[in-house]
Amino acid sequence: MKSIIEIEGLKKVYVMGKEKVVALNNIDLSINKGEICCILGTSGSGKSTLLNMIAGLEKPSKGKIIIKNKPVHKMNESQVTKFRQKHVGFVFQSYNLLNNLTALENVAIPLVFGGESKKIREGKAKKILDLVGLKDRLSHRPNQMSGGQQQRVSIARAFVNTPEIVFADEPTGNLDTKTTMEIMDLMVGIAREHNQTLIIVTHDPETSVYADKIIRMRDGNIESIEYNDKEIIRNENEN
């Protein structure tokens, strides 16, 4: 498979008063196009920091982040924002829906930046809301839906413009077991159908079983990388 994300020597250090906290310590990682990838670790392991670095939400202290042969680590805020609008989708634990908008309006938001007409935007939003099982909730606002329904809207919004990469940060953290399985089936199913790269950050080992690649994080290091439940790579710099 062809690589879509390349990370080399990635380091992130936060300065807190007189102390320096190393959140990421010289990370090297390659993620392929169409790969379902899970970044797994406990709180403080560096998994969310790694996602934020890859997504261009934070700048690294050192190292390279190359996505689609573009140096994201060198982009300014305007450049990285445009890059995300074109190539990236996000699913969040807290859904991040706009409470004053309907499900249809929330899902159509990413399409506004593409300059498409309202009719086309709403058509695409309706189609994907139908796909995630919410065709009868188009006019509902977030406070009129359950947590699982809100996350389905969030998934529809992330996938509506068919981005090449979707980041999901603890996407099932607020959901029960049954709904978690439904949401994971939904995200992975859509990603596989369109050969999209899906990167999931989670602390839940059960969520990681959906992934092609499991990246285990500990103390800012990649502890191991596993494929199909078989560990084949271990970071020599772990200790």
Side-chain angles (χ1 to χ4, degrees), residues 144-155:
Q144 298 172 309
M145 293 182 282
S146 67
Q149 289 171 337
Q150 289 183 65
Q151 193 59 299
R152 286 172 182 264
V153 175
S154 177
I155 290 168

Side-chain angles (χ1 to χ4, degrees), residues 110-127:
L111 300 172
V112 172
F113 303 106
E116 295 177 321
S117 69
K118 183 179 180 181
K119 183 178 180 180
I120 292 176
R121 295 198 304 267
E122 289 187 350
K124 289 183 177 181
K126 286 178 181 178
K127 184 176 180 180

Side-chain angles (χ1 to χ4, degrees), residues 90-145:
F90 287 95
V91 180
F92 301 96
Q93 177 179 354
S94 56
Y95 321 132
N96 283 24
L97 302 176
L98 297 178
N99 291 323
N100 61 326
L101 299 183
T102 65
L104 182 66
E105 291 166 339
N106 267 287
V107 172
I109 287 175
L111 300 172
V112 172
F113 303 106
E116 295 177 321
S117 69
K118 183 179 180 181
K119 183 178 180 180
I120 292 176
R121 295 198 304 267
E122 289 187 350
K124 289 183 177 181
K126 286 178 181 178
K127 184 176 180 180
I128 198 162
L129 281 166
D130 186 8
L131 180 64
V132 301
L134 293 177
K135 66 178 179 180
D136 59 344
R137 294 287 190 274
L138 302 182
S139 61
H140 285 58
R141 288 180 167 77
N143 62 6
Q144 298 172 309
M145 293 182 282

Side-chain angles (χ1 to χ4, degrees), residues 37-57:
C37 183
C38 176
I39 303 175
L40 178 67
T42 58
S43 178
S45 63
K47 62 185 187 299
S48 291
T49 302
L50 178 56
L51 180 142
N52 289 342
M53 295 292 111
I54 302 172
L57 298 174

Side-chain angles (χ1 to χ4, degrees), residues 50-51 183 201 224:
L50 178 56
L51 180 142
I183 292 300
V201 165
S224 64

Side-chain angles (χ1 to χ4, degrees), residues 8-70:
E8 299 176 12
L10 189 65
K11 190 168 186 176
K12 182 63 178 180
V13 179
Y14 294 103
V15 178
M16 305 177 71
K18 295 182 179 180
E19 293 187 23
K20 291 184 178 180
V21 178
V22 179
L24 294 176
N25 187 24
N26 294 319
I27 300 293
D28 293 320
L29 181 64
S30 178
I31 297 174
N32 293 326
K33 180 174 175 57
E35 196 165 43
I36 310 298
C37 183
C38 176
I39 303 175
L40 178 67
T42 58
S43 178
S45 63
K47 62 185 187 299
S48 291
T49 302
L50 178 56
L51 180 142
N52 289 342
M53 295 292 111
I54 302 172
L57 298 174
E58 292 186 57
K59 288 290 185 183
S61 302
K62 183 182 177 183
K64 299 178 181 179
I65 303 166
I66 311 296
I67 302 180
K68 289 181 59 63
N69 297 318
K70 303 291 184 182

